[in-house]
Structures are given as C-alpha cells and as structure tokens.
Amino acid sequence: LEHLINKKVFGFIGSILPYHGVDLCIRAFSQLQGEDVHLLIVGDGYLIPTYRKICEELSISNQVTFTGSIPKKEIWNYLKAMDVLLLPSTAWYCSPVKLFEYGLMEKPIIAIKKTGVLDIFTEESCMLFSGGEEELILLFQAFLNRPEQFNEMGKLCKTIVLKNHQWTNNADAILKYFES
C-alpha cells in the first residue's frame, strides 16, 4: 500500500462480479488526469483478467491496482488507504453490506442510486448517481476539486450507520413489535 501514499485513491472492495459495475469505475477513472490519482480494487472474481485488459487498452494499468483476495483481518488497512469508497452498481434485491463498512470509515462514498442504497443513505450523506459513466466522472472530479466538502459527508455516513444500522437497532425493533 506504500505506492498509494500522496495519491487520491478511489476504491472498491468486494466480489468482482458483473453486477458490481467495476468496469464502469475503470472507464470513468480513465478520464481523470494526473499521476496523483489511483484506483484500488480489492477482491477476487473471474472478471479480473478482463478488467486488467481494459486497463491496458485505456493506458491506465500503472494507476490501477487489483489486489485479488485479501484476508478479512487486512480489509480495514485497504479501506484506510482509500479516499473515496465506491459502490458503482448492485443487484436490485441487495442491501449491500459493504455500505455499512464503508460508512464506518468516515470517508466519502460514491454509490448507485438504487433502493438498497437509498434504504441506508441519502443525497446529503452520500454522492449518489444514476449509473451513467459521465455522471460518475463528474463525481470523481468534484471530489478531486473539493475533497473537504465530501469528507463532511463521510462523517455523516458514520453517524447514520451507528444510529440506525446496528444489530441492537434490529433487536429493539423486534422487541417493540412483539410487545405491541
């Protein structure tokens, strides 16, 4: 992770599956200028060779790191290395667990504007987009131009996760249901 020091790191953690939209991140990231940005993709999946080839074709291989599978105890180190946490897409039926992990990091999140995401975060707490590459590029550039504005959103994400999305919240809701 030493090669990421002094760079603005956009990162994704999870399985590298078609519905996660990692290819969208790669294409949008390729439009950023400068050697001071990096894309960190943590996780494994059969699409990695395809995505490496896309990086080569876009001439950004030196600005993208694919880690492959990482032991769970090391994931936090990778999250700490990231400046912006990405959820470019998700299946319609998911409540992405990674959003809770991301939220606890107090870092800006860029996420697809879908029901599972909107059940957790709002536009005040998360940089949401409809799924288009141009919109994602604009969000990447907005962060690079005004990181302090988006860092405040990251703090709000942590507050939301701690206040509304812990197992004790679920247990309280269940107890209230049975008491009524």
Side-chain angles (χ1 to χ4, degrees), residues 106-118:
E106 287 189 67
K107 295 186 178 194
I109 299 170
I110 296 176
I112 185 76
K113 191 184 232 180
K114 284 190 176 178
T115 302
V117 175
L118 295 171

Side-chain angles (χ1 to χ4, degrees), residues 53-165:
K53 185 173 180 177
I54 291 170
C55 290
E56 288 173 22
E57 291 168 359
L58 295 170
S59 301
I60 58 168
S61 294
N62 62 336
Q63 293 178 279
V64 180
T65 299
F66 293 91
T67 66
S69 185
I70 296 293
K72 287 186 183 200
K73 65 182 178 182
E74 294 179 31
I75 292 294
W76 294 107
N77 292 326
Y78 287 85
L79 283 166
K80 288 177 193 173
M82 297 173 183
D83 295 294
V84 178
L85 308 169
L86 305 170
L87 180 64
S89 190
T90 188
W92 65 269
Y93 52 83
C94 285
S95 173
V97 173
K98 75 171 70 348
L99 283 179
F100 303 113
E101 296 165 346
Y102 282 3
L104 290 175
M105 296 306 297
E106 287 189 67
K107 295 186 178 194
I109 299 170
I110 296 176
I112 185 76
K113 191 184 232 180
K114 284 190 176 178
T115 302
V117 175
L118 295 171
D119 290 339
I120 303 165
F121 296 124
T122 64
E123 291 187 12
E124 290 78 32
S125 59
C126 188
M127 293 181 278
L128 300 172
F129 76 109
S130 301
E133 183 179 328
E134 291 300 318
E135 193 179 359
L136 187 55
I137 293 167
L138 291 174
L139 287 174
F140 283 1
Q141 291 170 336
F143 171 77
L144 293 173
N145 293 332
R146 300 182 316 278
E148 61 286 340
Q149 173 187 347
F150 298 105
N151 289 334
E152 288 302 314
M153 294 173 90
K155 292 177 185 176
L156 182 55
C157 287
K158 182 175 183 177
T159 300
I160 289 169
V161 169
L162 291 176
K163 182 178 177 192
N164 301 322
H165 299 287

Side-chain angles (χ1 to χ4, degrees), residues 12-42:
F12 171 87
I13 292 184
S15 300
I16 313 300
L17 298 170
Y19 69 85
H20 279 145
V22 173
D23 56 329
L24 175 66
C25 285
I26 292 168
R27 286 187 174 83
F29 178 82
S30 74
Q31 300 304 305
L32 300 180
Q33 302 298 316
E35 290 294 315
D36 61 337
V37 293
H38 201 86
L39 180 61
L40 178 58
I41 300 170
V42 178

